Structures are given as C-alpha cells and as structure tokens.
Amino acid sequence: MTATHSTLGSLQNPYANSIRSLEKNDFKNFGRLQALNISQNNINKIEDGAFIHTSHLEFLNLSANQLQLLSSSMFDGLMNLTTLLLASNKIYRINPSAFANLENLKKQKRKGQGTGYDYDAFLSYNTHDEKWVVDDLLPVLEKQYSWKVCLHHRDFEPGRSILENIVDNIYASRKTICIISHHYLESEWCSKEIQVASFRIFDDHKDVLVLIFLEDIPAEYLSPYHKMRKLLKTKTYLKWPEDEREIPLFWHKLNMAMKTGDGKEYENPVLAGFVPDEIP
C-alpha cells in the first residue's frame, strides 16, 4: 500500500509494514518527531519534500527497503538529523545534492581526532588492482610518508552495509584517492565511491579528491562516464609511469597532493600531472 498521511497516522509502528512510498504530506502532523524507523517495508519512492515537516527528526532508519535513487530534494527539511541508515536497499544512483541540507549529519561524519578526520585518505580501487595498491601504493603512503589510510577489507565496520561504510569513511577521510583503470570504470561500487567523493567537492568546495590513472583510458571509453569526464576537465591528476625512472617523481607528486589542505580548490597549488588533451 502507498503510505498516505492517514495510513501512517493509523500505524502504531511503521516498521516492517507494507509501505511502498512516502509522499509530501505524510508527516504533516509529526513535526515534533525525533526518531523514525520505517525499515523493512517496500518503499521504492520518496517524494521530494516528504520530510519537510520533520525538522526535529534526529534518527531516520530507511534500511531494508527498495530504494534505487536518492534525488536532490529527498531529504529537505532534515536539518537536525544525526543518523541516517540506508542499508540493504538497491541504490544505484545518488544525486550529488541529495545530502545538501543534512548539515548535522555532515558535521557528525567529519568529527575525528587531531585534524578532525579519522584518516588522511580513503582508497577507492577495484579488486583487480589490489596487488598494485598493496605492493606499491600502501608502503609509500603508510611507511614512507606516514599517512593514515582507510582500506575496505581492513577498516570497514562489520555488520554495516557497504554503502554506509563507503559514505562514512569517505567523510571521515581528508582525501579520497581513486585508482582509475578499466576495471574501476566497470565497477558498480567504485562508481558509488567516486559519486560520494564528487559530492564532497561540490558541497564543500574543497580539494578532497586525488585521481591516479594506472593505465591509458581512451577518451571514447570515458564518454559514458559523464561525472568522470567533468572531473577530468577541472582537476589535475596523476598517471602511473611506464618508465621506472619516473616513479620517484610520481610518489613526490602524490605526497604533494596529500599535503594540500582543506582550503578551496583554487587556493591549492596545481600539480603537474597527466592531463589528456583528447578529453572533449
């Protein structure tokens, strides 16, 4: 059944019912609500502005539903939200503006120790490239330069959904390093990671993303990846060198990228990286 205002009002506990959608006036009379658990339903659509009347809501559990898209205005009104659970949905697309008004949630994710972050970098890579990450990248980042790195298999919290771990750890990291390869571009989860990292750029206007290309990617191969192409036009990025003599310089440039602060992108020095002229 569709969740209308009267339907929700008649439910003593909306958890594990047959709610299919949330509409704009469903919570009109629930303005003082602070916690809402509507997990384990069949919700596949949340109308923009559905939570506009729930400004006091601090906890929202939407886990175990059928959500596929997070739209730009889906969470408008949730200015005091500190916990949002989205585990076990079917989310494949996140609008970069979906979390724009979740100020307290974003502040909560940014809390950390020392610099305000739990990690210096979140590593986004495909498992096919894990050998390079473990054998080449990690020893330099962690041992040579002493950066604290977040890895999927080592640092993700057991029992939480992959998407929740991705979002939380990207926001708990000062930078996100994306290791781009053909395998990376074909990965659903890698796509989600770069979407979340891109959202931080547009939302915070900070230099938080470092792109490393392990191989040449022809422009025509990148054409379906609109977000990637946009990033390539606006950011300088690095390419793993074929000539071993250039590897020390590559590590030096990467370390420089890691040292850039949390200032706005245009305030940070531009690295002399690999910039393909053929990107349209």
Side-chain angles (χ1 to χ4, degrees), residues 257-268:
M258 287 297 301
K259 285 183 177 180
T260 57
D262 292 331
K264 295 181 179 180
E265 284 189 282
Y266 57 78
E267 294 174 346
N268 289 327

Side-chain angles (χ1 to χ4, degrees), residues 75-86:
F75 300 117
D76 281 5
L78 297 176
M79 300 303 295
N80 289 299
L81 196 70
T82 58
T83 303
L84 173 63
L85 303 180
L86 291 165

Side-chain angles (χ1 to χ4, degrees), residues 10 42 56 60 72 78 86-87 104 106 126 151 155 160 175 177 239:
S10 65
N42 295 310
H56 292 277
L60 175 59
S72 60
L78 297 176
L86 291 165
N104 282 346
K106 288 186 287 185
N126 186 273
L151 291 175
D155 300 305
R160 303 192 71 196
K175 302 277 188 179
I177 301 176
K239 183 179 183 297

Side-chain angles (χ1 to χ4, degrees), residues 30-37 53-61 78 80-83:
F30 296 89
R32 307 299 297 180
L33 194 66
Q34 293 182 316
L36 178 62
N37 182 3
H53 302 291
T54 58
S55 60
H56 292 277
L57 200 65
E58 297 178 6
F59 174 91
L60 175 59
N61 188 353
L78 297 176
N80 289 299
L81 196 70
T82 58
T83 303

Side-chain angles (χ1 to χ4, degrees), residues 217-233:
I217 308 291
E220 59 269 18
Y221 192 84
L222 285 170
S223 59
Y225 304 93
H226 302 296
K227 289 182 182 296
M228 178 73 70
R229 291 173 66 209
K230 187 172 183 179
L231 288 170
L232 295 180
K233 290 180 179 180

